[in-house]
Amino acid sequence: MRDTSELTEAVERFADRLRSAPQSRLQRGAAAEGLALARELAARAQRAEDPRREPRTMPDAGVFAVADQLVVAGNDLAEILRTAPADSREGELAEAVERVRAAERRSGL
């Protein structure tokens, strides 16, 4: 079993910043950055769960829902990586954490 707390903590930190950001900041790109990341994490989780199936795209539920969408997608991926055989997902956890941190930097929050 892998320790996925670094991923869930990074996702929660970014989500908290999205939740506390003013609407104007969300509309200037922070929400779009969060949604793009949520979609990426969700697609990674879906591919890991069933590589033969084309991932479904997470819908845009609006700027005020992005933080929750990000948490759901991040937690789904973390759970899949936590239970995967260690050699089957080598490096994916670290890459996911870095993507979350990079998206947060790009968001300007």
Side-chain angles (χ1 to χ4, degrees), residues 2-43:
R2 291 182 214 188
D3 180 13
T4 57
S5 62
E6 189 176 5
L7 175 57
T8 56
E9 288 169 7
V11 165
E12 286 290 342
R13 185 176 44 254
F14 187 17
D16 285 346
R17 290 187 173 178
L18 288 166
R19 286 184 187 107
S20 65
Q23 182 176 356
S24 60
R25 190 80 173 252
L26 293 171
Q27 291 173 327
R28 283 196 311 262
E33 194 65 53
L35 179 59
L37 176 62
R39 285 176 169 169
E40 178 185 344
L41 297 178

Coordinates of all heavy atoms in Angstrom, one line a residue, residues 2-43:
R2 N 0.5 2.2 -0.8 CA 1.3 3.4 -0.9 C 0.7 4.5 0.0 O -0.5 4.6 0.1 CB 1.3 3.9 -2.3 CG 2.1 3.1 -3.3 CD 2.1 3.7 -4.6 NE 2.0 2.6 -5.5 CZ 2.2 2.7 -6.8 NH1 2.3 3.8 -7.4 NH2 2.2 1.6 -7.6
D3 N 1.6 5.4 0.4 CA 1.1 6.6 1.2 C 0.7 7.7 0.2 O 1.6 8.2 -0.5 CB 2.2 7.1 2.1 CG 1.7 8.3 2.9 OD1 0.5 8.6 2.9 OD2 2.6 8.9 3.5
T4 N -0.6 7.9 0.0 CA -1.1 8.9 -0.9 C -1.4 10.2 -0.2 O -2.0 11.1 -0.9 CB -2.3 8.4 -1.7 OG1 -3.3 8.0 -0.7 CG2 -1.9 7.2 -2.5
S5 N -1.0 10.4 1.0 CA -1.4 11.6 1.7 C -0.8 12.8 1.1 O -1.4 13.9 1.2 CB -1.0 11.5 3.2 OG 0.4 11.3 3.3
E6 N 0.4 12.7 0.5 CA 0.9 13.9 -0.1 C 0.0 14.4 -1.3 O -0.2 15.6 -1.4 CB 2.3 13.6 -0.7 CG 3.1 14.8 -1.1 CD 4.5 14.6 -1.6 OE1 4.9 13.4 -1.6 OE2 5.2 15.5 -1.9
L7 N -0.5 13.5 -2.0 CA -1.4 13.9 -3.1 C -2.7 14.5 -2.5 O -3.2 15.6 -2.9 CB -1.8 12.7 -4.0 CG -2.8 13.0 -5.1 CD1 -2.4 14.1 -6.0 CD2 -3.1 11.7 -5.9
T8 N -3.3 13.8 -1.6 CA -4.6 14.4 -1.0 C -4.4 15.7 -0.3 O -5.2 16.6 -0.4 CB -5.3 13.3 -0.1 OG1 -4.4 13.0 1.0 CG2 -5.7 12.1 -0.8
E9 N -3.2 15.9 0.4 CA -2.9 17.1 1.0 C -2.7 18.3 0.0 O -3.2 19.4 0.2 CB -1.7 17.0 1.9 CG -2.0 16.2 3.2 CD -0.7 15.9 3.9 OE1 0.4 16.4 3.5 OE2 -0.8 15.1 4.9
A10 N -2.0 18.0 -1.1 CA -1.8 19.0 -2.1 C -3.2 19.4 -2.8 O -3.4 20.6 -3.0 CB -0.9 18.5 -3.2
V11 N -4.0 18.4 -3.0 CA -5.3 18.6 -3.6 C -6.2 19.5 -2.7 O -6.8 20.5 -3.1 CB -6.0 17.3 -4.0 CG1 -7.5 17.5 -4.3 CG2 -5.4 16.7 -5.2
E12 N -6.2 19.1 -1.4 CA -7.0 19.9 -0.4 C -6.5 21.3 -0.3 O -7.3 22.2 -0.1 CB -6.9 19.2 1.0 CG -7.8 17.9 1.0 CD -9.3 18.1 1.0 OE1 -9.7 19.3 1.3 OE2 -10.0 17.2 0.8
R13 N -5.2 21.5 -0.3 CA -4.6 22.8 -0.2 C -5.1 23.7 -1.3 O -5.6 24.8 -1.2 CB -3.1 22.8 -0.1 CG -2.5 24.1 0.1 CD -1.0 24.1 0.3 NE -0.3 23.2 -0.6 CZ 0.2 22.0 -0.3 NH1 0.1 21.5 0.9 NH2 0.8 21.3 -1.3
F14 N -5.0 23.2 -2.6 CA -5.4 23.9 -3.7 C -6.9 24.2 -3.7 O -7.4 25.3 -4.0 CB -5.0 23.2 -5.0 CG -5.2 24.0 -6.3 CD1 -5.5 25.3 -6.3 CD2 -5.2 23.3 -7.5 CE1 -5.7 26.0 -7.5 CE2 -5.4 23.9 -8.7 CZ -5.7 25.3 -8.7
A15 N -7.7 23.2 -3.3 CA -9.2 23.3 -3.2 C -9.5 24.4 -2.2 O -10.4 25.2 -2.4 CB -9.8 22.0 -2.9
D16 N -8.9 24.4 -1.1 CA -9.1 25.4 -0.1 C -8.9 26.8 -0.6 O -9.6 27.7 -0.3 CB -8.3 25.2 1.2 CG -8.8 24.0 2.0 OD1 -9.9 23.5 1.8 OD2 -8.0 23.5 2.9
R17 N -7.8 26.9 -1.3 CA -7.5 28.3 -1.9 C -8.6 28.7 -3.0 O -9.0 29.8 -3.1 CB -6.1 28.3 -2.5 CG -5.1 28.2 -1.5 CD -3.7 28.4 -2.0 NE -2.8 28.5 -0.9 CZ -1.5 28.6 -1.0 NH1 -0.9 28.6 -2.2 NH2 -0.8 28.7 0.1
L18 N -9.0 27.7 -3.7 CA -10.1 28.0 -4.7 C -11.4 28.4 -3.9 O -12.1 29.3 -4.4 CB -10.4 26.7 -5.6 CG -9.3 26.4 -6.6 CD1 -9.6 25.0 -7.2 CD2 -9.4 27.5 -7.7
R19 N -11.7 27.7 -2.9 CA -12.9 28.0 -2.1 C -12.9 29.4 -1.5 O -13.9 30.1 -1.4 CB -13.1 27.0 -1.0 CG -13.6 25.7 -1.5 CD -13.9 24.7 -0.3 NE -14.2 23.4 -0.7 CZ -13.4 22.3 -0.6 NH1 -12.2 22.5 -0.1 NH2 -13.7 21.2 -1.1
S20 N -11.7 29.9 -1.1 CA -11.6 31.2 -0.5 C -11.3 32.3 -1.4 O -11.3 33.5 -1.0 CB -10.5 31.1 0.6 OG -9.2 30.9 0.0
A21 N -11.1 32.0 -2.7 CA -10.8 33.0 -3.7 C -12.1 33.8 -4.0 O -13.2 33.3 -4.1 CB -10.2 32.4 -4.9
P22 N -11.9 35.1 -4.3 CA -13.1 35.9 -4.7 C -13.5 35.5 -6.1 O -12.7 35.0 -6.9 CB -12.6 37.3 -4.7 CG -11.1 37.2 -4.7 CD -10.7 35.9 -4.2
Q23 N -14.8 35.7 -6.4 CA -15.3 35.3 -7.7 C -14.5 35.9 -8.9 O -14.3 35.2 -9.9 CB -16.8 35.8 -7.8 CG -17.5 35.4 -9.1 CD -18.9 35.7 -9.1 OE1 -19.5 36.2 -8.2 NE2 -19.6 35.5 -10.3
S24 N -14.1 37.1 -8.7 CA -13.4 37.8 -9.8 C -12.1 37.0 -10.1 O -11.7 36.8 -11.3 CB -13.0 39.2 -9.5 OG -12.3 39.3 -8.3
R25 N -11.4 36.5 -9.1 CA -10.2 35.8 -9.2 C -10.4 34.4 -9.9 O -9.7 34.0 -10.8 CB -9.5 35.6 -7.9 CG -8.1 35.1 -7.9 CD -7.2 36.2 -8.2 NE -5.8 35.8 -8.1 CZ -5.0 36.1 -7.1 NH1 -5.4 37.0 -6.2 NH2 -3.8 35.7 -7.1
L26 N -11.5 33.8 -9.5 CA -11.9 32.5 -10.1 C -12.2 32.7 -11.6 O -11.8 31.9 -12.4 CB -13.1 31.9 -9.4 CG -13.0 31.5 -7.9 CD1 -14.3 31.2 -7.3 CD2 -12.0 30.3 -7.8
Q27 N -12.9 33.8 -11.9 CA -13.3 34.0 -13.3 C -12.1 34.4 -14.2 O -12.1 34.3 -15.4 CB -14.4 35.1 -13.4 CG -15.7 34.5 -12.8 CD -16.7 35.6 -12.7 OE1 -16.4 36.8 -12.5 NE2 -18.0 35.2 -12.9
R28 N -11.0 34.9 -13.5 CA -9.8 35.3 -14.3 C -8.9 34.2 -14.6 O -7.8 34.4 -15.1 CB -9.1 36.4 -13.6 CG -9.7 37.8 -13.7 CD -8.8 38.9 -13.3 NE -8.1 38.7 -12.0 CZ -8.5 39.2 -10.8 NH1 -9.6 40.0 -10.8 NH2 -7.8 39.0 -9.7
G29 N -9.3 33.0 -14.2 CA -8.5 31.8 -14.6 C -8.2 30.8 -13.6 O -7.8 29.7 -13.9
A30 N -8.4 31.2 -12.3 CA -8.1 30.2 -11.3 C -9.0 29.0 -11.3 O -8.6 27.8 -11.2 CB -8.2 30.9 -9.9
A31 N -10.3 29.2 -11.6 CA -11.3 28.1 -11.7 C -11.0 27.3 -12.9 O -11.1 26.1 -12.8 CB -12.7 28.7 -11.7
A32 N -10.6 27.9 -14.0 CA -10.3 27.1 -15.2 C -9.1 26.2 -15.0 O -9.1 25.1 -15.5 CB -10.0 28.1 -16.4
E33 N -8.1 26.7 -14.3 CA -6.9 25.9 -13.9 C -7.3 24.8 -13.1 O -6.9 23.6 -13.2 CB -5.9 26.8 -13.2 CG -4.5 26.2 -13.2 CD -3.9 26.0 -14.5 OE1 -3.8 26.9 -15.3 OE2 -3.5 24.8 -14.8
G34 N -8.2 25.0 -12.1 CA -8.7 23.9 -11.2 C -9.5 22.9 -11.9 O -9.3 21.7 -11.7
L35 N -10.3 23.3 -12.8 CA -11.1 22.4 -13.6 C -10.3 21.6 -14.5 O -10.5 20.4 -14.7 CB -12.2 23.1 -14.4 CG -13.1 22.3 -15.3 CD1 -13.9 21.2 -14.4 CD2 -14.1 23.1 -16.1
A36 N -9.3 22.2 -15.2 CA -8.4 21.4 -16.1 C -7.7 20.3 -15.3 O -7.5 19.2 -15.7 CB -7.4 22.4 -16.7
L37 N -7.2 20.7 -14.1 CA -6.5 19.7 -13.2 C -7.5 18.6 -12.8 O -7.2 17.4 -12.8 CB -5.9 20.4 -12.0 CG -5.3 19.5 -11.0 CD1 -4.1 18.7 -11.6 CD2 -4.8 20.2 -9.8
A38 N -8.7 19.0 -12.4 CA -9.7 18.0 -11.9 C -10.0 17.0 -13.1 O -10.1 15.8 -12.9 CB -11.0 18.7 -11.5
R39 N -10.1 17.5 -14.3 CA -10.4 16.7 -15.4 C -9.2 15.7 -15.7 O -9.4 14.6 -16.0 CB -10.7 17.5 -16.7 CG -12.0 18.2 -16.7 CD -12.3 19.1 -17.8 NE -13.7 19.5 -17.9 CZ -14.1 20.4 -18.7 NH1 -13.3 21.1 -19.5 NH2 -15.4 20.7 -18.7
E40 N -8.0 16.3 -15.6 CA -6.8 15.4 -15.8 C -6.8 14.3 -14.7 O -6.5 13.1 -15.1 CB -5.6 16.2 -15.8 CG -4.3 15.4 -15.9 CD -3.0 16.2 -15.8 OE1 -3.0 17.4 -15.9 OE2 -2.0 15.5 -15.6
L41 N -6.9 14.7 -13.5 CA -6.9 13.6 -12.4 C -8.0 12.6 -12.6 O -7.8 11.4 -12.4 CB -7.0 14.3 -11.0 CG -5.8 15.3 -10.7 CD1 -6.1 15.9 -9.3 CD2 -4.5 14.6 -10.8
A42 N -9.2 13.1 -13.0 CA -10.3 12.1 -13.2 C -10.0 11.2 -14.3 O -10.3 10.0 -14.2 CB -11.6 12.9 -13.4
A43 N -9.4 11.7 -15.4 CA -9.1 10.9 -16.6 C -8.0 9.9 -16.2 O -8.1 8.7 -16.6 CB -8.6 11.7 -17.7

